[in-house]
Amino acid sequence: MEKNRTSDNERKQLPVLLHVTGWIILFILPQYLIVGESFWDTRATLIILFNTLVYGIIFYVNYLVLIPKLMHKRRGLYYFPIALIFMVVMQIASYNAFRPLFPPRDHDRKELTEAAKDESHKGKVPGPKRMMVYNFYITSVLVTSFAVGLRYGEKSRKRDREMKELEKEKLNSELAMLKNQISPHFFFNTLNNIYSLIEVNTADAQTSVLNLSKMMRYLLYETEHGNVKLSREIEFMRHYIDLMKLRLHSRVRLDVDFPDTYNDVDIPPLLFITFIENAFKHSA
């Protein structure tokens, strides 16, 4: 139980760690790509923070709204044009917000003016504004792709977890059916046999009652907590066989052979008892 709780916590923490790591990289990496006087400059840091906020809006609108509403509901054809339109809207809005928040400084204006006057740049090297647009859309596509990948990764992990839970529930229901099949008629028949045995052989009757109580304790308590040790299952089968012997005629030969040495592995409870029960049912 503690192990399952730990694994569940790890699964919940993984997306959070991915989000935090991604935004730290997106914020810090441009700082190291900036060279010259603007390295670790306050204005440059604020610009990067502004861009990170813009990309964060693009990411979480896709991650929280567009992908769940469109792609996860078989409307994938609508997602891509809507995501592109939202990207264009964010580019226009961020550009219009960027200009009043970060007006160009004197030396920035001088560089832009010189670049505009230089005819040799035309058609060969894109201007600063065009480069900003290129960078915006490239980064936006990467951020959107990361949102899609993260969403589908979480959906895949959730689907695998649900499949495992269904398999576990199916196994538990099958084991419950086995216990229900064993319990009623077996216990009533065994009690009748013990009742008849009391007058004939009191010692054997007492041993049979003890074996029956051990079996009931095993069925009621030990098999409720998932897998059991193979040694406990073999002990249960021995008690079962001993009680079933009471019903056999003296001329019937019963051969029982359990291995002396074995790996005491964990197995589902009551895994073999049906075979033993059928052996008695369809024998002499």
Side-chain angles (χ1 to χ4, degrees), residues 9-62:
N9 291 334
E10 290 176 353
R11 282 195 294 265
K12 293 177 181 178
Q13 292 173 0
L14 179 61
V16 177
L17 291 175
L18 289 175
H19 285 244
V20 173
T21 304
W23 293 120
I24 289 176
I25 293 174
L26 191 63
F27 177 73
I28 292 180
L29 186 60
Q31 301 274 13
Y32 289 95
L33 297 178
I34 297 174
V35 295
E37 297 178 356
S38 58
F39 184 76
W40 288 116
D41 181 73
T42 303
R43 185 174 186 273
T45 302
L46 291 175
I47 291 174
I48 294 172
L49 185 61
F50 173 82
N51 290 332
T52 303
L53 177 63
V54 172
Y55 296 133
I57 294 173
I58 294 174
F59 174 85
Y60 285 108
V61 168
N62 280 273

Side-chain angles (χ1 to χ4, degrees), residues 18-272:
L18 289 175
H19 285 244
V20 173
T21 304
W23 293 120
I24 289 176
I25 293 174
L26 191 63
F27 177 73
I28 292 180
L29 186 60
Q31 301 274 13
Y32 289 95
L33 297 178
I34 297 174
V35 295
E37 297 178 356
S38 58
F39 184 76
W40 288 116
D41 181 73
T42 303
R43 185 174 186 273
T45 302
L46 291 175
I47 291 174
I48 294 172
L49 185 61
F50 173 82
N51 290 332
T52 303
L53 177 63
V54 172
Y55 296 133
I57 294 173
I58 294 174
F59 174 85
Y60 285 108
V61 168
N62 280 273
Y63 179 80
L64 298 174
V65 181
L66 298 183
I67 298 173
K69 296 293 184 182
L70 299 177
M71 295 193 73
H72 284 183
K73 294 186 177 181
R74 298 183 180 180
R75 300 174 186 170
L77 293 177
Y78 297 102
Y79 169 75
F80 294 101
I82 292 176
L84 180 59
I85 292 172
F86 175 69
M87 202 179 298
V88 173
V89 172
M90 286 299 301
Q91 190 272 324
I92 296 172
S94 62
Y95 178 75
N96 291 331
F98 182 87
R99 294 174 65 184
L101 288 175
F102 305 100
R105 295 171 292 189
D106 293 338
H107 68 275
D108 294 330
R109 290 194 185 93
K110 183 178 179 180
E111 291 178 358
L112 291 173
T113 303
E114 291 176 355
K117 291 180 179 180
D118 191 354
E119 295 293 331
S120 63
H121 286 272
K122 291 184 178 180
K124 296 181 180 180
V125 180
K129 180 179 177 181
R130 192 179 300 175
M131 283 299 300
M132 288 177 62
V133 174
Y134 288 162
N135 291 338
F136 176 87
Y137 283 108
I138 291 173
T139 307
S140 297
V141 169
L142 292 175
V143 168
T144 302
S145 301
F146 180 66
V148 173
L150 189 60
R151 262 296 181 185
Y152 271 88
E154 292 174 359
K155 184 179 180 181
S156 177
R157 288 193 296 271
K158 181 180 178 181
R159 184 167 57 248
D160 292 342
R161 188 164 61 250
E162 289 174 350
M163 289 295 296
K164 291 179 180 179
E165 290 295 330
L166 287 175
E167 292 175 358
K168 185 178 180 180
E169 290 178 3
K170 181 181 177 182
L171 178 61
N172 290 336
S173 63
E174 290 175 351
L175 292 176
M177 288 179 61
L178 279 176
K179 287 198 289 185
N180 291 333
Q181 290 174 357
I182 293 172
S183 304
H185 66 275
F186 169 75
F187 283 121
F188 283 120
N189 291 335
T190 302
L191 288 173
N192 289 333
N193 293 332
I194 294 174
Y195 176 78
S196 303
L197 189 64
I198 291 175
E199 296 182 357
V200 180
N201 191 327
T202 305
D204 287 347
Q206 291 175 342
T207 302
S208 299
V209 171
L210 181 61
N211 290 339
L212 182 61
S213 67
K214 291 179 180 179
M215 289 184 62
M216 291 179 66
R217 187 179 299 108
Y218 179 79
L219 284 172
L220 293 175
Y221 301 112
E222 297 188 35
T223 60
E224 294 291 333
H225 305 292
N227 293 342
V228 296
K229 290 294 183 182
L230 178 59
S231 57
R232 297 291 296 132
E233 189 73 6
I234 290 178
E235 182 181 357
F236 172 78
M237 289 187 286
R238 289 185 186 276
H239 293 323
Y240 181 90
I241 293 171
D242 290 340
L243 291 174
M244 292 299 291
K245 285 180 183 179
L246 301 176
R247 304 174 56 185
L248 296 179
H249 194 275
S250 59
R251 289 177 296 178
V252 177
R253 191 186 72 182
L254 176 64
D255 295 323
V256 180
D257 183 19
F258 285 103
D260 295 328
T261 58
Y262 51 84
N263 293 328
D264 198 10
V265 295
D266 292 332
I267 62 171
L270 310 176
L271 194 62
F272 310 107

